Amino acid sequence: MRNGGLGVMSKPKIGWIGMGRMGYPMAERLVKAGYDVHVWNRTRAKAAPLEAKGATLVNSPADLAGVDILATMVSTGKDVEEVYFGAEGVLSGGSVPKIFLDFSSIGVEHSAALRQRLAEHGADLICSPVSGNGKC
Protein backbone atom coordinates (compact mmCIF):
# COMPACT_ATOMS: atom_id res chain seq x y z
CA MET A 1 0.00 0.00 0.00
CA ARG A 2 1.38 3.43 -0.86
CA ASN A 3 1.27 6.19 1.72
CA GLY A 4 0.80 9.78 0.54
CA GLY A 5 2.39 9.19 -2.85
CA LEU A 6 5.85 9.19 -1.25
CA GLY A 7 6.55 5.59 -2.14
CA VAL A 8 6.50 4.55 1.53
CA MET A 9 4.95 1.16 2.07
CA SER A 10 2.41 0.80 4.86
CA LYS A 11 0.83 -2.36 6.19
CA PRO A 12 -2.61 -3.13 4.79
CA LYS A 13 -5.69 -3.26 6.99
CA ILE A 14 -6.73 -6.91 7.18
CA GLY A 15 -10.12 -8.45 7.86
CA TRP A 16 -10.41 -12.04 9.01
CA ILE A 17 -13.47 -14.28 9.11
CA GLY A 18 -13.20 -17.70 10.73
CA MET A 19 -11.64 -18.37 14.12
CA GLY A 20 -11.37 -22.15 14.00
CA ARG A 21 -8.37 -24.32 14.86
CA MET A 22 -6.35 -22.94 11.97
CA GLY A 23 -7.94 -19.54 11.36
CA TYR A 24 -7.35 -18.26 14.88
CA PRO A 25 -3.58 -18.89 14.97
CA MET A 26 -3.14 -17.47 11.48
CA ALA A 27 -4.96 -14.26 12.42
CA GLU A 28 -3.07 -14.17 15.72
CA ARG A 29 0.26 -14.19 13.86
CA LEU A 30 -0.83 -11.17 11.84
CA VAL A 31 -1.79 -9.32 15.02
CA LYS A 32 1.56 -10.19 16.62
CA ALA A 33 3.34 -8.94 13.49
CA GLY A 34 1.73 -5.52 13.99
CA TYR A 35 -1.00 -5.60 11.34
CA ASP A 36 -4.31 -3.82 11.89
CA VAL A 37 -6.53 -6.92 12.00
CA HIS A 38 -10.32 -6.80 12.26
CA VAL A 39 -12.03 -10.12 12.99
CA TRP A 40 -15.49 -11.65 12.90
CA ASN A 41 -16.70 -15.10 13.84
CA ARG A 42 -20.21 -16.55 14.13
CA THR A 43 -19.39 -17.43 17.73
CA ARG A 44 -18.01 -14.15 19.04
CA ALA A 45 -16.42 -15.81 22.08
CA LYS A 46 -13.96 -17.65 19.79
CA ALA A 47 -12.64 -14.32 18.48
CA ALA A 48 -12.67 -12.45 21.81
CA PRO A 49 -9.17 -13.55 22.95
CA LEU A 50 -7.69 -11.83 19.88
CA GLU A 51 -9.15 -8.53 21.01
CA ALA A 52 -6.99 -8.70 24.14
CA LYS A 53 -3.98 -9.21 21.84
CA GLY A 54 -4.75 -6.15 19.71
CA ALA A 55 -7.30 -7.19 17.09
CA THR A 56 -10.55 -5.31 16.58
CA LEU A 57 -13.72 -7.40 16.85
CA VAL A 58 -16.56 -6.41 14.54
CA ASN A 59 -20.27 -7.18 14.77
CA SER A 60 -20.87 -8.53 11.25
CA PRO A 61 -19.03 -9.32 8.04
CA ALA A 62 -20.42 -6.05 6.62
CA ASP A 63 -18.19 -4.22 9.11
CA LEU A 64 -15.17 -5.58 7.19
CA ALA A 65 -16.07 -3.88 3.91
CA GLY A 66 -13.43 -1.18 4.41
CA VAL A 67 -10.40 -3.44 4.85
CA ASP A 68 -7.72 -3.74 2.18
CA ILE A 69 -7.49 -7.54 2.31
CA LEU A 70 -10.17 -9.92 3.57
CA ALA A 71 -9.15 -13.44 4.60
CA THR A 72 -11.75 -16.15 5.08
CA MET A 73 -11.40 -19.61 6.56
CA VAL A 74 -14.83 -21.13 6.98
CA SER A 75 -16.32 -24.61 6.61
CA THR A 76 -18.19 -24.69 3.31
CA GLY A 77 -18.69 -22.88 0.03
CA LYS A 78 -22.16 -21.91 1.22
CA ASP A 79 -20.57 -20.26 4.27
CA VAL A 80 -18.14 -18.34 2.04
CA GLU A 81 -21.05 -17.11 -0.10
CA GLU A 82 -22.97 -16.00 2.99
CA VAL A 83 -20.09 -13.99 4.49
CA TYR A 84 -19.32 -12.38 1.12
CA PHE A 85 -22.75 -11.85 -0.46
CA GLY A 86 -25.35 -12.42 2.30
CA ALA A 87 -27.67 -9.81 3.79
CA GLU A 88 -24.96 -8.85 6.31
CA GLY A 89 -22.08 -9.99 4.11
CA VAL A 90 -18.94 -8.03 3.36
CA LEU A 91 -20.35 -6.68 0.10
CA SER A 92 -23.37 -5.20 1.90
CA GLY A 93 -21.06 -2.86 3.81
CA GLY A 94 -20.71 -0.05 1.26
CA SER A 95 -17.09 -0.68 0.26
CA VAL A 96 -15.31 -3.65 -1.26
CA PRO A 97 -11.91 -5.00 -0.22
CA LYS A 98 -9.62 -5.19 -3.24
CA ILE A 99 -8.31 -8.64 -2.35
CA PHE A 100 -10.25 -11.60 -0.98
CA LEU A 101 -8.00 -14.39 0.27
CA ASP A 102 -9.97 -17.60 0.83
CA PHE A 103 -8.37 -20.43 2.80
CA SER A 104 -11.58 -22.49 2.90
CA SER A 105 -11.34 -26.00 1.44
CA ILE A 106 -14.04 -25.75 -1.20
CA GLY A 107 -14.39 -27.04 -4.75
CA VAL A 108 -12.54 -25.51 -7.68
CA GLU A 109 -15.80 -24.78 -9.51
CA HIS A 110 -17.22 -23.02 -6.47
CA SER A 111 -14.08 -20.89 -6.15
CA ALA A 112 -14.27 -19.98 -9.85
CA ALA A 113 -17.88 -18.84 -9.43
CA LEU A 114 -16.95 -16.74 -6.39
CA ARG A 115 -14.02 -15.21 -8.29
CA GLN A 116 -16.35 -14.19 -11.13
CA ARG A 117 -18.89 -12.62 -8.76
CA LEU A 118 -16.19 -10.68 -6.90
CA ALA A 119 -14.62 -9.49 -10.17
CA GLU A 120 -17.96 -7.86 -10.98
CA HIS A 121 -17.35 -5.72 -7.88
CA GLY A 122 -13.74 -4.91 -8.81
CA ALA A 123 -12.16 -7.36 -6.39
CA ASP A 124 -9.71 -10.22 -6.84
CA LEU A 125 -10.02 -13.63 -5.20
CA ILE A 126 -6.95 -15.64 -4.28
CA CYS A 127 -7.80 -19.24 -3.43
CA SER A 128 -5.46 -20.87 -0.94
CA PRO A 129 -7.36 -23.86 0.44
CA VAL A 130 -5.77 -25.54 3.41
CA SER A 131 -6.13 -28.90 5.02
CA GLY A 132 -4.45 -30.40 7.99
CA ASN A 133 -4.28 -29.97 11.69
CA GLY A 134 -3.85 -26.57 13.32
CA LYS A 135 -2.20 -28.24 16.35
CA CYS A 136 1.06 -29.23 14.64
Side-chain angles (χ1 to χ4, degrees), residues 1 5-6 12 18 25 30-32 35 41 57 74 79 85 87 90 99 103 108 111-112 120-121 123 128-129 133 136:
M1 313 292 322
L6 300 175
L30 292 169
V31 171
K32 287 180 177 179
Y35 286 90
N41 197 72
L57 269 61
V74 297
D79 292 335
F85 306 107
V90 175
I99 299 171
F103 295 107
V108 173
S111 290
E120 293 169 6
H121 295 276
S128 299
N133 185 336
C136 294

Side-chain angles (χ1 to χ4, degrees), residues 1 9-15 34-37 67-69 99:
M1 313 292 322
M9 299 299 285
S10 63
K11 290 183 178 180
K13 182 177 178 180
I14 300 173
Y35 286 90
D36 182 10
V37 181
V67 301
D68 299 305
I69 300 169
I99 299 171

Side-chain angles (χ1 to χ4, degrees), residues 105-119:
S105 296
I106 63 175
V108 173
E109 296 83 11
H110 207 150
S111 290
L114 292 169
R115 179 178 290 108
Q116 177 61 39
R117 289 179 71 185
L118 289 170

Side-chain angles (χ1 to χ4, degrees), residues 80-99:
V80 177
E81 285 186 39
E82 183 64 26
V83 298
Y84 288 178
F85 306 107
E88 293 187 30
V90 175
L91 292 173
S92 72
S95 296
V96 179
K98 290 297 178 193
I99 299 171

Side-chain angles (χ1 to χ4, degrees), residues 12-75:
K13 182 177 178 180
I14 300 173
W16 195 285
I17 296 175
M19 294 286 112
R21 282 191 341 189
M22 294 197 318
Y24 183 95
M26 291 170 76
E28 180 181 41
R29 284 183 180 101
L30 292 169
V31 171
K32 287 180 177 179
Y35 286 90
D36 182 10
V37 181
H38 296 242
V39 298
W40 180 83
N41 197 72
R42 282 185 301 214
T43 306
R44 188 175 178 91
K46 286 185 175 183
L50 271 184
E51 185 174 34
K53 296 178 181 190
T56 301
L57 269 61
V58 299
N59 295 316
S60 76
D63 295 332
L64 298 171
V67 301
D68 299 305
I69 300 169
L70 177 75
T72 49
M73 184 175 265
V74 297
S75 299

